[in-house]
RNA sequence: GUGGGCGUAGCUCAGCUGGUAGAGCACUGGAUUGUGAUUCCAGUGGUCGUGGGUUCAAGCCCCAUCGCCCACCCCA
């Protein structure tokens, strides 16, 4: 016997009934984004490895050990995208979409990161990504966050809290970073193993440490706010004012930093405590330096990514289900003549003014078996066709959700007879 | 990458200190010959993740491997 081929580690399937949950979550998000004037952009799942190295940063975990990189047949190194921003920015530059223009884009699809899978963390995962390019002021930052709050509200998702912070400009952060590094070097002996490792590569992350032994040291560390330039401070104040006006609650978390190098000024994160340790459902921020860094004109930009697996899981926990889509009619047909008749009837009911949702029995079976299927389909009424009906040109209409009696009607009156039952649907 | 737990029918699981597998749900059929969701009866379905090893004998023990789960790390 042949070995069963399994899915690749960390790459899951979405099956019914979960797929209905995904559909609902995705449709809700898409609809809000379109309403706010964001347009869809579709970019390849594979890009040149160089793009991600340059945009995400050479010394990040993502680039160093999490990318799915391959050589293609010409020996060019290509990579399954670990995130969406790089590809979208590349596309914008390539097609001249940023020349004196502003763009509001959204995109969605799978991302790939070679990590050890656990709850809320997969090797193939899905994001909804939004990028606003060419906007400088805090208004667009606020719009993104307010828009997200609306999405959560429409999905009736609770237990999500918003944290925001500002990282200031690149210049101010460079200074802060240097001073912070110096501070932790002075207290090197007190640092744990993780923090020592972070010290050289990303000292800001030490501030994020969960180790209780370090909290005193962290509290006494230099604060980014002390380094903020006036402009960044004003930008952040502007954002907060707009969020306050909109009634979107938030917590300013001075320790909130980002794993990707290109962020500056606004950063934000929606987190939950309901999904275990991988609690970041949506994260984003400003990356004013990225376009220039990739060789384009200096272009302000801000965006976010929603982790769909995590969001769907959170939605599932709320137990709200998905809007169900059941047929109006299930056509039961026993015998070859009846089957042919059933197909004609089904199509004409679908074509009719009422545009009925019709499921036709396929796969044969007697009346009993077909009635069972009709019931399980969730249909409101069953239309029954057998030898007798075919020869007399009639059909039986049987309500499945009410106690009303079934009726036998001539073919021409079928749609009307069905309509009666659909109106009295519970 | 580091640690811990788990892997028995499609699904949820039971299987005592090792003696070659069971339940519920689902599915199929039946309870007077053309009719569902209740009830009753019967049936299909598993080389116990995979590969080795120990043993007279392994689902239960050992090793390896694949996968899942949880935490660290990181992040969506």
């Amino acid at each position: 016997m042949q070995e069963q081929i399994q899915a690749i580690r960390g790459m899951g399937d979405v099956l019914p009934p979960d797929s209905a949950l995904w559909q609902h979550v995705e449709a809700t998000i898409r609809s809000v984004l379109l309403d706010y004037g964001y347009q869809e952009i579709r970019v390849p799942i594979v890009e040149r490895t160089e793009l991600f190295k340059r945009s995400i940063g050479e010394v990040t975990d993502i680039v160093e050990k999490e990318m799915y990189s391959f050589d293609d047949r010409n020996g060019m190194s290509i990579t399954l995208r670990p995130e969406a921003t790089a590809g979208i920015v590349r596309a914008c530059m390539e097609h001249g979409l940023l020349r004196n223009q502003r763009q509001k884009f959204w995109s969605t699809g799978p991302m790939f990161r070679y990590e050890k899978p656990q709850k809320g963390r997969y090797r193939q995962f899905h994001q909804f990504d939004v990028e606003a390019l060419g906007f400088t002021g805090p208004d667009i930052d606020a719009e993104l966050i307010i828009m997200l709050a609306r999405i959560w509200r429409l999905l009736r998702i609770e237990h999500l809290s918003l944290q925001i912070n500002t990282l200031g400009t690149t210049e101010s952060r460079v200074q802060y970073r240097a001073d912070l590094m110096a501070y932790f070097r002075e207290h090197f002996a007190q640092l744990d193993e993780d923090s020592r490792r972070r010290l050289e590569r990303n000292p800001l992350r030490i501030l994020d440490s969960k180790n209780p032994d370090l909290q005193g040291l962290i509290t006494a560390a230099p604060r980014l706010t002390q380094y903020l330039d006036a402009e960044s401070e004003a930008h952040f104040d502007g954002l907060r004012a707009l969020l306050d006006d909109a009634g979107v609650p938030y917590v300013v978390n001075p320790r909130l930093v980002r794993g990707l190098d290109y962020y500056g000024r606004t950063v934000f994160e929606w987190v939950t405590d309901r999904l275990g340790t991988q609690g970041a459902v949506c994260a984003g921020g400003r990356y004013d330096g990225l376009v220039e860094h990739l060789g384009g004109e200096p272009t302000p930009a801000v965006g976010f990514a929603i982790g769909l697996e995590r969001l769907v899981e959170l939605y599932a926990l709320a137990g709200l289900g998905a809007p169900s889509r059941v047929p109006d009619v299930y056509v039961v047909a026993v015998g070859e003549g009846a089957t042919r008749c059933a197909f004609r009837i089904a199509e004409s009911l679908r074509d009719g003014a009422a545009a009925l949702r019709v499921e036709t029995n396929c796969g044969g079976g007697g009346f009993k078996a077909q009635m069972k299927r009709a019931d399980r389909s969730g249909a409101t009424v069953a239309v029954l066709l057998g030898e007798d009906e075919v020869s007399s040109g009639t059909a039986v209409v049987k309500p499945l959700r009410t106690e009303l009696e079934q009726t036998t009607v001539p073919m021409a009156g079928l749609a009307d007879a069905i309509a009666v039952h659909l109106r009295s649907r519970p």
Side-chain angles (χ1 to χ4, degrees), chain A residues 22 25-26 28-30 32-33 83-85 106-111 120 125-131 144-145 147-152 155 157 160 263 268 270 280-284 303-314:
Chain A
W22 279 76
V25 169
E26 289 170 344
T28 303
I29 297 172
R30 188 169 312 154
V32 171
L33 298 181
E83 54 95 49
T85 304
W106 64 268
S107 195
T108 186
M111 309 293 158
F125 60 101
H126 298 77
Q127 293 185 335
F128 248 96
D129 209 78
V130 173
E131 315 289 349
L144 293 181
I145 292 172
M147 184 166 72
L148 283 164
R150 177 175 299 278
I151 291 170
W152 311 149
L155 289 171
I157 283 180
L160 262 184
Y263 283 99
F268 61 89
W270 295 85
V281 171
C282 171
F304 65 75
I306 297 172
L308 273 178
E309 278 79 3
R310 295 177 186 179
L311 183 62
V312 170
E313 177 73 27
L314 199 55

Side-chain angles (χ1 to χ4, degrees), chain A residues 351-377:
Chain A
D351 287 338
L356 296 178
R357 294 195 294 264
V358 182
E359 183 170 345
T360 309
N361 183 79
C362 285
F367 278 93
K368 189 183 178 71
Q370 293 197 34
M371 281 306 298
K372 259 185 161 171
R373 293 179 199 146
D375 181 51
R376 267 172 310 184
S377 77

Side-chain angles (χ1 to χ4, degrees), chain A residues 118-398:
Chain A
Q118 83 187 63
K119 188 181 182 65
R121 192 173 75 183
Y122 309 98
R123 289 185 173 181
Q124 175 178 316
F125 60 101
H126 298 77
Q127 293 185 335
F128 248 96
D129 209 78
V130 173
E131 315 289 349
L133 301 118
F135 298 84
T136 310
D139 50 357
I140 191 79
D141 305 36
E143 176 173 276
L144 293 181
I145 292 172
I146 290 165
M147 184 166 72
L148 283 164
R150 177 175 299 278
I151 291 170
W152 311 149
R153 218 180 307 134
L154 285 172
L155 289 171
R156 295 204 277 162
I157 283 180
E158 295 171 342
H159 313 296
L160 262 184
S161 65
L162 173 63
Q163 302 190 350
I164 63 174
N165 190 24
T166 180
L167 301 178
T169 58
T170 313
E171 301 78 60
S172 64
R173 208 162 64 257
V174 165
Q175 182 58 48
Y176 173 64
R177 188 184 161 113
D179 288 1
L180 193 65
M181 222 182 267
Y183 168 80
F184 282 122
R185 278 218 194 85
E186 275 175 45
H187 303 279
F188 191 78
Q190 293 178 53
L191 294 178
D192 60 17
E193 197 186 328
D194 281 335
S195 300
R196 287 177 183 180
R197 192 166 41 76
R198 289 169 179 151
L199 182 54
E200 296 303 325
R201 55 189 317 162
N202 198 348
L204 273 68
R205 288 220 70 94
I206 300 178
L207 301 174
D208 244 352
S209 174
K210 293 163 192 161
N211 187 340
D213 298 342
L214 294 180
Q215 296 312 306
L217 191 64
I218 290 170
T219 309
R223 304 233 168 185
L224 182 54
T225 47
Q226 298 157 350
Y227 292 74
L228 274 190
D229 55 293
E231 218 178 310
S232 292
E233 211 162 337
H235 194 277
F236 195 47
D237 289 345
L239 168 62
R240 296 202 301 194
L242 287 167
L243 292 181
D244 290 338
D245 287 352
V248 175
Y250 59 87
V251 174
V252 177
N253 176 3
R255 295 180 182 182
L256 182 66
V257 295
R258 294 252 59 99
L260 297 96
D261 280 356
Y262 50 64
Y263 283 99
R265 283 201 177 155
T266 307
V267 290
F268 61 89
E269 204 166 295
W270 295 85
V271 294
T272 180
D273 57 3
R274 303 298 164 110
L275 296 178
T277 182
Q278 307 295 331
V281 171
C282 171
R286 222 161 231 290
Y287 50 97
D288 292 341
L290 180 62
V291 176
E292 188 179 11
H293 182 68
L294 289 176
E297 294 294 311
T299 306
V302 55
F304 65 75
I306 297 172
L308 273 178
E309 278 79 3
R310 295 177 186 179
L311 183 62
V312 170
E313 177 73 27
L314 199 55
Y315 181 76
L317 283 178
L320 298 167
S324 60
R325 190 161 176 93
V326 295
D328 298 313
V329 180
Y330 189 101
V331 182
V332 167
V334 178
E336 196 184 326
T339 300
R340 296 179 63 177
C341 180
F343 269 67
R344 284 197 299 274
I345 288 177
E347 283 303 316
S348 89
L349 289 175
R350 291 172 183 129
D351 287 338
L356 296 178
R357 294 195 294 264
V358 182
E359 183 170 345
T360 309
N361 183 79
C362 285
F367 278 93
K368 189 183 178 71
Q370 293 197 34
M371 281 306 298
K372 259 185 161 171
R373 293 179 199 146
D375 181 51
R376 267 172 310 184
S377 77
T380 308
V381 302
V383 168
L384 282 63
L385 295 167
E387 304 289 332
D388 299 350
E389 287 74 21
V390 172
S391 57
S392 64
T394 60
V396 172
V397 177
K398 172 165 178 144

